[in-house]
Amino acid sequence: MEPNKVQSEGGLNVTLTIRLLMHGKEVGSIIGKKGETVKKMREESGARINISEGNCPERIVTITGPTDAIFKAFAMIAYKFEEDIINSMSNSPATSKPPVTLRLVVPASQCGSLIGKGGSKIKEMRESTGAQVQVAGDMLPNSTERAVTISGTPEAIIQCVKQICVVMLESPPKGATIPYRPKPASTPVIFSGGQVRADPLAASAANLSLLLQHQPLPAYTIQGQYAIPHPDLYCPSKPSAVDQAPPVGYAANPLYPPRTDHPCFPWYVPTSPFEVSFSLYL
C-alpha cells in the first residue's frame, strides 16, 4: 500500500495503491463477459483496477486512486462477490449464506501496526465493524508481504478496509518491500506409457534437477560396432512384448548370431530394432 499526495473528496490528502489476492474464479467474476464488469467498476469508482497477467492459480488485483475511489471499488467488488454467492446457493441445499471474503496483500513491516499491542488494534476493528480479520503469520512465497483476510457482509468489509487504510497510512512500510508474484501453474506432460511429469519449462530448478535424476536409462550403449544391452533394462532370455527385436547388434546378442551369408558381413552389424528386423529378411 503506497500513499502519494493527492487531494481527494474523502478528506485524506492521499491516493492509495491496494493489492488483492484472488483465485481464478474470483478474477473471472471481476472481469465479466468481454471485460464489461471491470470496465464498469473502473468508470463508476474512478479507481484504476489492474489484474496481473499469466496462467496462474492466483492473480493480483491492484486498485489505485484517491481514498473515496478505493472505497467505491471495494464496495463494488464485495457486492459482486455477494451476488455470486447468492447465485451459487440457488442450486445448493445450503441454508446459511457464507460470508464474503477478500484477501489483501500487505507489507509484513506494517502488519505489526495492524495487529496492535497484544492484538488490541485488530480486536478493535473486529468489534467496531463486525468483520472477521486475520493476518497470516507467514510471508507469501518469495516476498516480504503477508495476506490479510477480511470476511463478513459487504458493509462490514467496506468499513474494515477504511480502518485498515488509516492504519497503513499512519504506519508506512519500513525498508524495501519485495512484492508477491504468483507463480504459473506447472503443466503436466503425459508420456505414451501413462507416466506424468511436470513440464521442465515451468518447473523450478529444484524440481527440474529431481526430474533429471529420474530419467529412464538408455536401453543399450554403443561400443565400437556393437550395441551392448543395458543389464538393468534388457534380459536376452525374456525379450519385452513391445520390442520383440531387441535393439542390440548380432555379435552382442546370443539370440541372433552373426549371419556369415550377409552380403556386408563382417562389416555390417545392425544396431537398431528396425535394422535387426530388416536384416532377418535379407
Side-chain angles (χ1 to χ4, degrees), residues 47-78:
R48 294 193 299 273
I49 303 175
N50 295 320
I51 301 170
S52 63
E53 300 289 341
N55 179 27
C56 303
E58 295 179 319
R59 308 275 285 276
I60 295 292
V61 178
T62 305
I63 305 176
T64 305
T67 51
D68 58 323
I70 292 287
F71 301 149
K72 287 179 183 177
F74 262 91
M76 297 182 75
I77 291 173

Side-chain angles (χ1 to χ4, degrees), residues 145-165:
E145 294 184 309
R146 295 185 187 181
V148 177
T149 304
I150 310 172
S151 299
T153 65
E155 295 80 6
I157 288 177
I158 296 165
Q159 294 302 318
C160 190
V161 168
K162 289 182 178 180
Q163 293 195 25
I164 289 176
C165 289

Side-chain angles (χ1 to χ4, degrees), residues 18 20 22 29-30 37 40-42 44-47 49 63 66-84 100-102 104 150 152-162 165:
I18 300 180
L20 293 168
M22 294 188 184
S29 175
I30 293 299
T37 303
K40 181 180 178 181
M41 289 182 177
R42 288 167 177 159
E44 295 187 5
S45 69
I49 303 175
I63 305 176
T67 51
D68 58 323
I70 292 287
F71 301 149
K72 287 179 183 177
F74 262 91
M76 297 182 75
I77 291 173
Y79 282 115
K80 182 65 175 68
F81 284 175
E82 183 183 50
E83 178 185 333
D84 295 339
V100 176
T101 300
L102 295 179
L104 277 64
I150 310 172
T153 65
E155 295 80 6
I157 288 177
I158 296 165
Q159 294 302 318
C160 190
V161 168
K162 289 182 178 180
C165 289

Side-chain angles (χ1 to χ4, degrees), residues 31 43 56 258 268:
I31 295 175
E43 292 175 349
C56 303
Y268 173 75

Side-chain angles (χ1 to χ4, degrees), residues 52-233:
S52 63
E53 300 289 341
N55 179 27
C56 303
E58 295 179 319
R59 308 275 285 276
I60 295 292
V61 178
T62 305
I63 305 176
T64 305
T67 51
D68 58 323
I70 292 287
F71 301 149
K72 287 179 183 177
F74 262 91
M76 297 182 75
I77 291 173
Y79 282 115
K80 182 65 175 68
F81 284 175
E82 183 183 50
E83 178 185 333
D84 295 339
I85 292 173
I86 294 173
N87 291 336
S88 66
M89 290 183 65
S90 61
N91 298 322
S92 172
T95 56
S96 59
K97 185 176 68 173
V100 176
T101 300
L102 295 179
R103 288 184 296 167
L104 277 64
V105 180
V106 178
S109 60
Q110 293 180 293
C111 289
S113 302
L114 188 60
I115 296 171
K117 187 176 181 180
S120 58
K121 191 63 182 179
I122 196 169
K123 181 182 178 181
E124 177 187 334
M125 283 191 290
R126 290 168 179 163
E127 293 177 349
S128 62
T129 65
Q132 291 296 317
V133 187
Q134 293 181 336
V135 179
D138 297 328
M139 287 184 284
L140 293 164
N142 303 315
S143 75
T144 57
E145 294 184 309
R146 295 185 187 181
V148 177
T149 304
I150 310 172
S151 299
T153 65
E155 295 80 6
I157 288 177
I158 296 165
Q159 294 302 318
C160 190
V161 168
K162 289 182 178 180
Q163 293 195 25
I164 289 176
C165 289
V166 172
V167 174
M168 297 297 99
L169 290 171
E170 292 175 349
S171 304
K174 299 175 183 177
T177 299
I178 301 174
Y180 172 60
R181 292 184 174 89
K183 289 189 175 181
S186 178
T187 304
V189 177
I190 302 177
F191 292 87
S192 58
Q195 298 168 315
V196 180
R197 292 180 182 167
D199 183 359
L201 296 177
S204 63
N207 291 337
L208 182 58
S209 176
L210 183 63
L211 176 65
L212 294 177
Q213 292 175 12
H214 292 80
Q215 291 293 327
L217 294 172
Y220 61 92
T221 56
I222 302 296
Q223 295 184 6
Q225 292 180 323
Y226 308 117
I228 309 300
H230 196 286
D232 295 332
L233 299 179

